[in-house]
Amino acid sequence: MIQLNGINKKYILPNGKEQIIFKDLNFYMQEERSLAILGRSGSGKTTLLNIIAGLDIKYKGKYYFDNRLLPKNIDEMSSLRLEDIGIITQNYNLLYDRNIFNNVAITLHCLGTNKKDIGKKVKHALEIVGLTDHKYKYPNELSGGESQRVAIARAIVKQPRLLIADEPTGALDEETEKDILKVFKNLQEIGHKLIIATHSRSIASICEKEYLIKNNDLTLVR
Amino acid sequence: MNIFREIRFYFKKNSLLFFLELIILTLFLTLVYVFALFTIGINEKTDKIENIYNGKEIYRLIDKLEDPEEFSDFLNSKSSVSVLSNFYNELDTDKNFQFLSVFDQFIPIENFKGDNTFDYAYGEDMEVKGKYKDEISKKIYQNAKSMQMNKNSFKFYDIELARGKEIDWEKVDYSTGRIPILLGNDYSGIYDVGDVLIGDYYGKDFKFEVVGFIKRNTYIFYNGSSEKYLDNYIVVPYPLRLSKIDNEMGDMESEFYGILYSAMINGDIAIEKSGNSLQTLLKNLDRISQKTSFDKYTIIGVRNFVVQYNNMIAAINNNKKIILFLLILNLIIMFIILKGISHFIYSKRKKVYYLYFLNGCNKGEIYKIFSIDLILPYILAFILNIIITWKYKFFDEMILIILAIIIFLVFSVIYRIFIKKLHKDLENGFR
């Protein structure tokens, strides 16, 4: 499904020096239902997810999705996200000017889904994350765990083939993390493919494979 | 994507900033509008004064029939009134100068529809104000402001119409009891072309048929006033040529023409400026006087107010530079404030653009949301400006086009700054 070949990525630091993030990194995801990407802060977990999601196109190397070489073009990558990838961001990124229903529906607006189908799909996504009763609430009325569930519902509402989650429990306490863990297990069971960048061992443990980013490269741990 | 839904969300969280931006833009546009009007007005006035007075000397001819008894005797003599008609006709047709006959005799109009601003006594310390009942005819009248003018004056002051048709001077015939008239622009909506007003003109009933409306802000130089605006005046044309008084004519009729003719011979005379223009004028008047046997007139110079007016325009032109400087300063300050507000709104809306991008919207759709976010206050400010200028009756298409260009330029600069920012954010995945 996903193949990254010879990825080189570097950042120019404010002092003008180069910081190499990846050096000839290769990454494959074929039949696995879920992968965890582990690594220290600043090791490049988010950068790798951004490349996979098409949010970062400033790298050297080749990216194949379903054996198709993807061009490094913003609109082409948007199209990939629109059709195949759902993203769960680190800080929920909810919009405070609209209720939960409209926060989740934003994904479907991009797809141009009709009003009737938006209602059905948002309801279904909220059911999966257990927030059916919260659809008319506003983000400021939710707890951290509930906000993360909204972010998950927003990512799954269009039923993408691949879900990418960046530190989904990074800001949550242990109890809430357990709840989110259940949600991710459930997502795998209903057929979603997952790539999760995480610090958390418990989150990583639910994934089929674990990779570690170390010394600008990716190593299979389990 | 439903853009209107996004606009709704935009207003929900940014209404205060939006209205602040709208107020600043509207105030600025109004300021530019007023400045443009002011500049155009001054330029027009300067041009008009130059056109009228450049190379000309102005004198005023007045009759010497000051003594009421003498005047009454004069009016009672049909031959004397005929002398007046000859004198006027000679003045009016003389090739050596232009005779500008203008007089502001009010006209009592029956069932007058206008408000008090059209009243001759409006703003004046006069006893008769508003509607009143004439004790003899028992009719309800109101004394409407009126300006009577000859054809030379129309041409000289370049009086143009807003609508309707020009006066057909050949057909101005007081003996029919029906006179075509023009109305000042303030009469729009009160009377219309084709309406007939019934009034008393020097003691005689007339039907005044409205044939047109004069352009707004039309003014003439009259009786020492450098800007006598005709907006709330009824403009009555004088007959092109004056007829002699027939001996068969009744006394009342004769008296009417006597009063009319004596009013008509009082007027300004414009003559080409030369070293001996006064001598030339006096010589020509003397010739006319001898030919018509009328010598009860005198000539006075009236250039003083023109000189004063020119001095005033020079002062205004100086002030124009100061105002232009303030306007530019205002533009810079407004630009800085707008940029600040746009920056603030962009920061708040960035998350929306990001989420659309994150979920797969293409660049074009995100630019569309961004553009609408940015352009809305500019469009609304422009519309508000049209409404304000329309409501307060200083609407001018040309100035609006200039404003549209200015607002487009300001918007373009702001847009360019922030579209670059958005483009950069998209390229970097909003990191």
Side-chain angles (χ1 to χ4, degrees):
Chain A
M1 185 185 192
I2 290 175
Q3 191 178 337
L4 297 176
N5 286 349
I7 302 295
N8 286 283
K9 172 77 186 174
K10 61 186 173 190
Y11 287 125
I12 306 293
L13 298 172
N15 61 13
K17 286 183 181 172
E18 283 186 355
Q19 186 192 358
I20 294 170
I21 307 292
F22 303 132
K23 202 172 173 186
D24 286 327
L25 176 142
N26 295 307
F27 172 81
Y28 305 96
M29 183 179 193
Q30 298 300 338
E31 299 305 319
E32 301 89 342
R33 279 165 61 189
S34 55
L35 296 178
I37 313 276
L38 296 159
R40 283 167 43 194
S41 292
S43 60
K45 298 190 294 295
T46 302
T47 305
L48 181 61
L49 291 192
N50 281 340
I51 290 172
I52 294 169
L55 295 169
D56 189 342
I57 50 173
K58 291 177 180 170
Y59 60 89
K60 283 182 182 168
K62 288 178 176 172
Y63 178 7
Y64 295 89
F65 195 93
D66 284 345
N67 299 319
R68 186 171 72 93
L69 178 64
L70 297 177
K72 289 169 190 163
N73 171 289
I74 294 177
D75 280 341
E76 288 278 348
M77 299 313 280
S78 292
S79 173
L80 174 76
R81 284 195 299 282
L82 185 67
E83 285 158 18
D84 296 310
I85 300 176
I87 301 167
I88 300 158
T89 57
Q90 208 166 355
N91 301 315
Y92 326 134
N93 278 312
L94 302 184
L95 296 172
Y96 286 77
D97 58 10
R98 59 201 79 186
N99 61 23
I100 302 311
F101 181 92
N102 283 313
N103 262 283
V104 176
I106 197 167
T107 311
L108 300 172
H109 295 151
C110 295
L111 275 168
T113 311
N114 68 48
K115 207 174 169 183
K116 198 178 161 191
D117 287 345
I118 288 176
K120 276 185 197 167
K121 289 182 176 183
V122 172
K123 192 182 165 203
H124 180 62
L126 289 174
E127 269 169 13
I128 292 171
V129 298
L131 285 179
T132 317
D133 298 336
H134 294 61
K135 68 176 177 182
Y136 296 122
K137 283 188 178 172
Y138 277 78
N140 56 359
E141 299 172 82
L142 303 182
S143 66
E146 286 168 336
S147 296
Q148 186 58 291
R149 284 164 193 246
V150 176
I152 294 169
R154 186 177 61 205
I156 62 170
V157 71
K158 62 183 175 189
Q159 294 176 317
R161 289 167 61 203
L162 176 66
L163 273 176
I164 292 175
D166 190 6
E167 296 286 5
T169 57
L172 303 176
D173 59 53
E174 218 170 293
E175 280 303 305
T176 317
E177 186 183 280
K178 280 179 189 167
D179 288 343
I180 297 298
L181 207 66
K182 280 182 203 163
V183 174
F184 278 116
K185 275 183 186 168
N186 184 27
L187 288 175
Q188 283 188 74
E189 280 161 18
I190 59 174
H192 286 287
K193 285 195 170 227
L194 285 168
I195 299 177
I196 306 175
T198 182
H199 272 109
S200 163
R201 276 266 141 227
S202 49
I203 288 283
S205 68
I206 64 157
C207 296
E208 284 182 21
K209 280 185 181 173
E210 288 179 26
Y211 282 93
L212 177 70
I213 298 179
K214 202 176 174 186
N215 301 326
N216 314 120
D217 204 356
L218 200 61
T219 320
L220 182 65
V221 179
R222 176 170 65 85
Chain B
M1 190 191 304
N2 188 334
I3 294 292
F4 294 107
R5 184 182 40 234
E6 259 321 310
I7 293 174
R8 190 160 54 87
F9 290 132
Y10 165 75
F11 272 110
K12 212 166 160 184
K13 280 285 169 186
N14 302 291
S15 50
L16 199 68
L17 285 171
F18 175 85
F19 284 113
L20 184 64
E21 202 175 0
L22 184 64
I23 289 166
I24 290 168
L25 277 164
T26 309
L27 282 177
F28 175 73
L29 286 182
T30 310
L31 212 68
V32 175
Y33 200 104
V34 170
F35 175 75
L37 267 184
F38 172 76
T39 309
I40 289 170
I42 291 299
N43 290 345
E44 276 179 359
K45 275 177 192 168
T46 313
D47 289 350
K48 190 166 179 176
I49 285 170
E50 276 181 7
N51 283 340
I52 293 171
Y53 289 105
N54 199 14
K56 291 193 184 89
E57 294 274 8
I58 304 292
Y59 296 94
R60 183 155 184 81
L61 186 147
I62 48 172
D63 68 55
K64 289 202 291 185
L65 301 165
E66 302 108 343
D67 179 48
E69 229 170 89
E70 190 187 3
F71 183 59
S72 179
D73 290 345
F74 197 89
L75 292 185
N76 289 333
S77 159
K78 287 173 183 167
S79 60
S80 298
V81 176
S82 290
V83 164
L84 278 184
S85 74
N86 287 338
F87 184 66
Y88 175 85
N89 288 339
E90 288 296 324
L91 288 174
D92 195 53
T93 52
D94 199 284
K95 304 282 181 220
N96 299 302
F97 56 78
Q98 285 171 285
F99 183 61
L100 314 170
S101 179
V102 182
F103 196 58
D104 67 345
Q105 173 63 42
F106 66 82
I107 299 177
I109 300 286
E110 259 184 70
N111 301 321
F112 186 66
K113 290 183 190 170
D115 61 25
N116 284 340
T117 58
F118 299 95
D119 199 300
Y120 180 74
Y122 181 70
E124 304 285 335
D125 188 20
M126 292 185 187
E127 269 185 37
V128 181
K129 277 183 183 168
K131 291 188 168 46
Y132 62 91
K133 191 174 185 180
D134 182 71
E135 290 308 320
I136 301 163
S137 65
K138 306 291 179 200
K139 289 174 183 169
I140 304 293
Y141 284 106
Q142 186 163 352
N143 295 339
K145 289 176 186 173
S146 172
M147 198 66 83
Q148 298 88 49
M149 304 167 83
N150 67 351
K151 188 182 177 183
N152 282 344
S153 306
F154 262 75
K155 280 169 69 180
F156 191 79
Y157 294 121
D158 192 23
I159 292 171
E160 291 178 53
L161 299 192
R163 62 194 169 94
K165 59 177 186 181
E166 305 268 347
I167 297 286
D168 185 350
W169 293 89
E170 298 293 337
K171 288 184 181 167
V172 178
D173 182 0
Y174 283 22
S175 66
T176 60
R178 199 176 179 94
I179 305 174
I181 55 164
L182 296 174
L183 295 181
N185 214 278
D186 287 356
Y187 275 103
S188 292
I190 298 171
Y191 290 107
D192 208 347
V193 172
D195 285 353
V196 175
L197 286 72
I198 295 169
D200 177 313
Y201 187 28
Y202 291 128
K204 193 177 172 199
D205 284 344
F206 274 94
K207 286 180 177 169
F208 298 99
E209 187 187 354
V210 182
V211 295
F213 285 80
I214 295 168
K215 266 191 182 170
R216 178 166 298 288
N217 293 332
T218 298
Y219 59 90
I220 59 168
F221 303 99
Y222 179 69
N223 210 14
S225 166
S226 53
E227 288 172 42
K228 188 77 175 175
Y229 283 87
L230 300 179
D231 290 336
N232 51 13
Y233 274 77
I234 295 172
V235 176
V236 179
Y238 276 145
L240 200 56
R241 295 286 160 263
L242 304 189
S243 317
K244 285 182 182 159
I245 301 301
D246 195 330
N247 279 331
E248 304 292 306
M249 190 183 276
D251 288 345
M252 290 280 280
E253 191 82 351
S254 166
E255 194 181 326
F256 165 77
Y257 284 108
I259 297 168
L260 176 71
Y261 293 0
S262 58
M264 287 175 72
I265 61 158
N266 288 275
D268 290 340
I269 295 175
I271 187 166
E272 291 302 319
K273 193 189 264 179
S274 68
N276 56 353
S277 50
L278 181 60
Q279 283 78 3
T280 311
L281 174 65
L282 291 174
K283 217 162 98 183
N284 281 311
L285 287 177
D286 192 44
R287 176 177 47 78
I288 293 169
S289 172
Q290 283 184 24
K291 189 177 172 185
T292 59
S293 308
F294 182 78
D295 58 3
K296 293 184 184 310
Y297 67 87
T298 189
I299 288 291
I300 52 171
V302 288
R303 277 200 73 246
N304 280 353
F305 80 91
V306 181
V307 173
Q308 279 170 18
Y309 201 95
N310 282 333
N311 288 341
M312 188 173 83
I313 283 181
I316 289 169
N317 278 333
N318 281 335
N319 289 340
K320 212 160 75 176
K321 285 178 192 162
I322 299 167
I323 291 171
L324 183 65
F325 169 74
L326 291 174
L327 201 72
I328 292 169
L329 189 71
N330 187 43
L331 175 70
I332 295 166
I333 295 168
M334 180 204 65
F335 185 79
I336 294 167
I337 296 172
L338 284 180
K339 190 173 172 280
I341 294 173
S342 302
H343 178 80
F344 199 56
I345 290 178
Y346 181 83
S347 307
K348 288 181 83 178
R349 293 285 286 171
K350 194 174 160 181
K351 203 169 170 184
V352 176
Y353 310 144
Y354 168 61
L355 280 169
Y356 275 111
F357 179 65
L358 190 77
N359 286 291
C361 274
N362 61 35
K363 255 193 314 192
E365 283 172 308
I366 295 164
Y367 284 164
K368 207 192 296 177
I369 303 173
F370 161 79
S371 303
I372 289 171
D373 282 358
L374 206 65
I375 205 169
L376 265 177
Y378 292 82
I379 292 175
L380 281 178
F382 187 66
I383 293 170
L384 263 178
N385 211 264
I386 294 175
I387 294 168
I388 291 168
T389 52
W390 189 268
K391 190 171 165 56
Y392 292 100
K393 296 178 181 173
F394 49 93
F395 186 83
D396 185 297
E397 289 99 339
M398 196 58 214
I399 301 176
L400 279 176
I401 291 169
I402 295 168
L403 280 196
I405 293 168
I406 291 174
I407 202 156
F408 175 75
L409 288 176
V410 172
F411 170 75
S412 299
V413 176
I414 299 268
Y415 182 82
R416 214 175 143 71
I417 293 169
F418 287 95
I419 197 84
K420 270 185 178 175
K421 213 175 168 69
L422 178 62
H423 183 74
K424 204 174 160 190
D425 281 335
L426 285 169
E427 288 279 332
N428 293 323
F430 284 90
R431 286 186 303 281

